[in-house]
Amino acid sequence: MKVLTVTLNPALDREIFIDGFKVDKLHRVSSKEKMTLSPGGKGINVSLALAKLGIPSIATGFLGGYMGRILLEELRKASNLITTNFVFIKEETRENIAIIDEKSHTITEINSPGPEIEEKDIEHILRRYAMSLTRVEAVVISGSIPVNAPRDIYVKMVKMAKEKGVPAFMEVRDPYIITLYENDAMPDVIKPDFRASHTLLGKDLKTLEDFVSAGKELLKTGAKLAVLSYFIDKDVLVLDEASYIIGPTIEIDYSHLLGTGDTYVAGMVYKYLQGERDMLEIGKFGYVAALASTRTAEKELPSLDEIETFMQYFEIERVG
Amino acid sequence: MKVSDVMVFDISAVFEDETVERVIDMMSKQFVTGIPVVDEDMKVVGFITDNDIMKASIPSYFALLQSASFLPDTNQFVKNMARIREHKVSEYMSKPPIVIKEDAPLIHAADLMMRHNIKTIPVVDNDGRLVGIITKIDVLKAALEGGLE
């Protein structure tokens, strides 16, 4: 097994394609192909993307109830390269809804908060996490945590990975990053989840300088690479020695951006597993993987050949 | 056809020092009747089923009766369950476990299930570490589709 992915708050993803979507209006979906149901949550999405690239992974996290069982079955059907090791909880797994409007080029996302967990569930998952760490070369920890879970669970997970010498890749929102920062537990690769707001360590990022200096702050507590999404289709890659801005040379349909962050992380992990240790190359490959995943609106993941094709469609410039 | 062609790639397991209560909780939430028992290296050291726990909690003299339906209540059963709920899994699991390697022929899994009257077998790698499980229904389904050989 190569990778362990952690999704503490997974979801069943429901994608609905509605052209000309408007609030406060009745919409009839034209065919069943325009409504899809798939396993989701950031870590699970990374497992799915890695499977498409031929990389086996263990997916762990919390699942519960009817939704949890559907998610597990769908995940098992998706690929034999994904081994499941979930902790089952009392409450129901959540459902995430994305309304994709290809006519207006918009995505409207509604993510529910998910279930509460019991104290014993935390102890249960940490022990299984420790066991799985002995079998993998990298760990991906992404997404939100259950509403009542202790905020320091990610701190514990990153520290356990570091103790075992397993590099950690994370994509999470700012409140979690603040806790990691305060506890000196930054993962090797950190990609702040900016979908709700461009805020890092509690500060709003506006200028390119803001992005670079916030990224450098993350490196001070242990990160080797910080990937900061810079206004939709560009990213700022912050490394110890320099910072770069990377962007596409082709036009991107913004309604095709669903799940690209997870493909980005999967791309970086893939490159690391191929033996690449230059963080800039790892960041570039992740960006191109994400770029390749924008070719369709559906959460359809790119193959290695498709990623290679997109290697010609980006530009990178040193910014600091 | 090999075991790896039809097995379920799930490594849900319990540790030897976890409690009977936890196992029952896992079985009820995951709709399974048996769970592999592993050590900290994920090596399979046992297997525990609902039947093992039932045997431990039903008074032993029940086996001597033709029917227990005339007994007035289930007090003894409940008392026994209360007694063992905090006990360790290692006390009631079957060991050494019956396991199968992922590259074994599927007919070998069917043979083990028949000989030992078991429904689920943990699938292990060359180091004896858990990589998944195979159930009787997986084997039957493969046979139905003509893939047992």
Side-chain angles (χ1 to χ4, degrees):
Chain A
M1 212 57 65
K2 296 275 189 183
V3 183
L4 171 64
T5 66
V6 179
T7 318
L8 294 184
N9 201 10
L12 253 188
D13 282 346
R14 191 181 288 277
E15 293 172 19
I16 309 167
F17 291 81
I18 301 172
D19 283 345
F21 173 74
K22 282 196 178 102
V23 292
D24 203 24
K25 196 176 170 235
L26 171 68
H27 295 278
R28 292 190 196 280
V29 180
S30 57
S31 69
K32 63 180 180 186
E33 285 75 32
K34 297 283 181 185
M35 286 184 78
T36 63
L37 196 65
S38 59
K42 298 189 81 59
I44 286 173
N45 289 341
V46 172
S47 267
L48 289 165
L50 286 171
K52 191 76 186 269
L53 300 174
I55 303 290
S57 65
I58 301 172
T60 191
F62 296 118
L63 286 181
Y66 179 65
M67 289 286 185
R69 289 206 59 75
I70 298 175
L71 192 154
L72 188 66
E73 286 306 316
E74 291 296 320
L75 195 54
R76 283 176 183 164
K77 270 194 263 170
S79 173
N80 276 351
L81 290 174
I82 301 172
T83 294
T84 50
N85 189 15
F86 286 91
V87 169
F88 274 75
I89 56 171
K90 202 186 273 181
E91 292 193 10
E92 194 79 27
T93 292
R94 68 197 173 121
E95 183 177 10
N96 284 346
I97 299 166
I99 300 163
I100 300 159
D101 182 350
E102 291 190 278
K103 198 173 162 193
S104 310
H105 307 284
T106 61
I107 307 176
T108 307
E109 291 182 77
I110 304 163
N111 290 2
S112 54
E116 291 196 356
I117 52 165
E118 297 173 87
E119 207 176 319
K120 65 179 181 184
D121 298 327
I122 297 285
E123 174 217 328
H124 200 162
I125 200 154
L126 283 176
R127 198 160 173 201
R128 277 143 185 85
Y129 172 79
M131 179 179 74
S132 299
L133 274 180
T134 63
R135 305 261 314 255
V136 298
E137 295 169 41
V139 60
V140 174
I141 307 166
S142 284
S144 60
I145 64 174
V147 281
N148 67 332
R151 183 69 62 82
D152 70 348
I153 188 167
Y154 278 165
V155 172
K156 284 183 182 158
M157 286 183 156
V158 171
K159 287 192 171 173
M160 286 161 78
K162 282 181 189 277
E163 276 165 22
K164 301 252 188 214
V166 179
F169 295 69
M170 283 186 91
E171 186 180 19
V172 289
R173 284 185 288 115
D174 195 42
Y176 306 120
I177 295 177
I178 291 173
T179 312
L180 293 166
Y181 180 79
E182 288 171 348
N183 288 279
D184 215 15
M186 205 53 70
D188 298 75
V189 177
I190 179 78
K191 185 176 185 303
D193 180 354
F194 283 155
R195 283 175 301 168
S197 70
H198 281 83
T199 306
L200 192 55
L201 298 176
K203 291 176 196 153
D204 286 337
L205 309 183
K206 292 190 175 97
T207 66
L208 187 57
E209 289 72 33
D210 292 343
F211 280 75
V212 172
S213 93
K216 283 195 183 299
E217 200 58 35
L218 299 181
L219 300 194
K220 284 181 190 167
T221 48
K224 294 175 185 144
L225 168 65
V227 178
L228 281 66
S229 172
Y230 185 68
F231 300 112
I232 305 179
D233 61 2
K234 293 187 178 69
D235 287 279
V236 175
L237 307 179
V238 182
L239 296 92
D240 267 333
E241 59 280 9
S243 301
Y244 301 85
I245 186 162
I246 188 167
T249 55
I250 49 171
E251 200 168 318
I252 289 175
D253 186 331
Y254 292 160
S255 71
H256 292 188
L257 290 172
L258 190 66
T260 51
D262 305 325
T263 312
Y264 204 128
V265 175
M268 290 193 289
V269 172
Y270 176 85
K271 199 68 179 169
Y272 174 83
L273 294 174
Q274 301 311 303
E276 183 60 75
R277 293 296 179 266
D278 180 337
M279 284 295 166
L280 181 59
E281 292 306 314
I282 286 174
K284 276 191 214 170
F285 195 83
Y287 181 81
V288 175
L291 196 59
S293 75
T294 64
R295 74 210 186 288
T296 60
E298 295 84 7
K299 209 175 76 176
E300 194 186 309
L301 299 156
S303 66
L304 195 53
D305 284 347
E306 284 165 327
I307 296 173
E308 297 290 351
T309 306
F310 273 77
M311 287 302 284
Q312 57 188 310
Y313 298 130
F314 77 95
E315 55 191 5
I316 186 162
E317 184 191 341
R318 186 171 171 159
V319 290
Chain B
M1 196 174 249
K2 290 177 182 173
V3 165
S4 57
D5 295 323
V6 300
M7 63 182 272
V8 178
F9 290 86
D10 186 280
I11 52 172
S12 298
V14 284
F15 295 105
E16 286 177 274
D17 60 354
E18 288 185 308
T19 63
V20 167
E21 184 176 8
R22 164 147 300 165
V23 174
I24 295 173
D25 185 51
M26 282 177 73
M27 284 179 183
S28 82
K29 283 177 181 154
Q30 295 184 230
F31 296 103
V32 293
T33 55
I35 297 180
V37 185
V38 295
D39 65 13
E40 302 290 341
D41 291 326
M42 223 188 265
K43 286 192 177 147
V44 181
V45 294
F47 194 80
I48 187 156
T49 66
D50 53 357
N51 214 27
D52 296 327
I53 300 171
M54 188 73 95
K55 273 189 212 158
S57 50
I58 294 277
S60 53
Y61 65 82
F62 270 42
L64 304 171
L65 304 175
Q66 280 204 324
S67 165
S69 58
F70 63 87
L71 293 174
D73 59 44
T74 53
N75 256 351
Q76 199 58 41
F77 182 22
V78 173
K79 271 186 196 164
N80 282 353
M81 183 56 83
R83 181 177 54 81
I84 69 165
R85 66 187 296 164
E86 293 298 324
H87 287 195
K88 288 178 182 170
V89 164
S90 56
E91 291 180 44
Y92 307 105
M93 68 186 194
S94 318
K95 61 179 178 185
I98 291 153
V99 297
I100 193 163
K101 289 197 175 156
E102 48 191 330
D103 57 356
L106 204 56
I107 191 72
H108 183 42
D111 178 47
L112 284 174
M113 286 167 177
M114 288 293 290
R115 277 178 203 278
H116 300 280
N117 192 25
I118 49 177
K119 284 187 273 188
T120 306
I121 306 177
V123 183
V124 296
D125 64 13
N126 286 333
D127 298 320
R129 292 184 304 191
L130 183 66
V131 293
I133 52 163
I134 185 163
T135 65
K136 211 175 251 181
I137 205 72
D138 296 326
V139 176
L140 289 174
K141 207 173 149 204
L144 195 64
E145 289 162 8
L148 208 53
E149 293 303 324

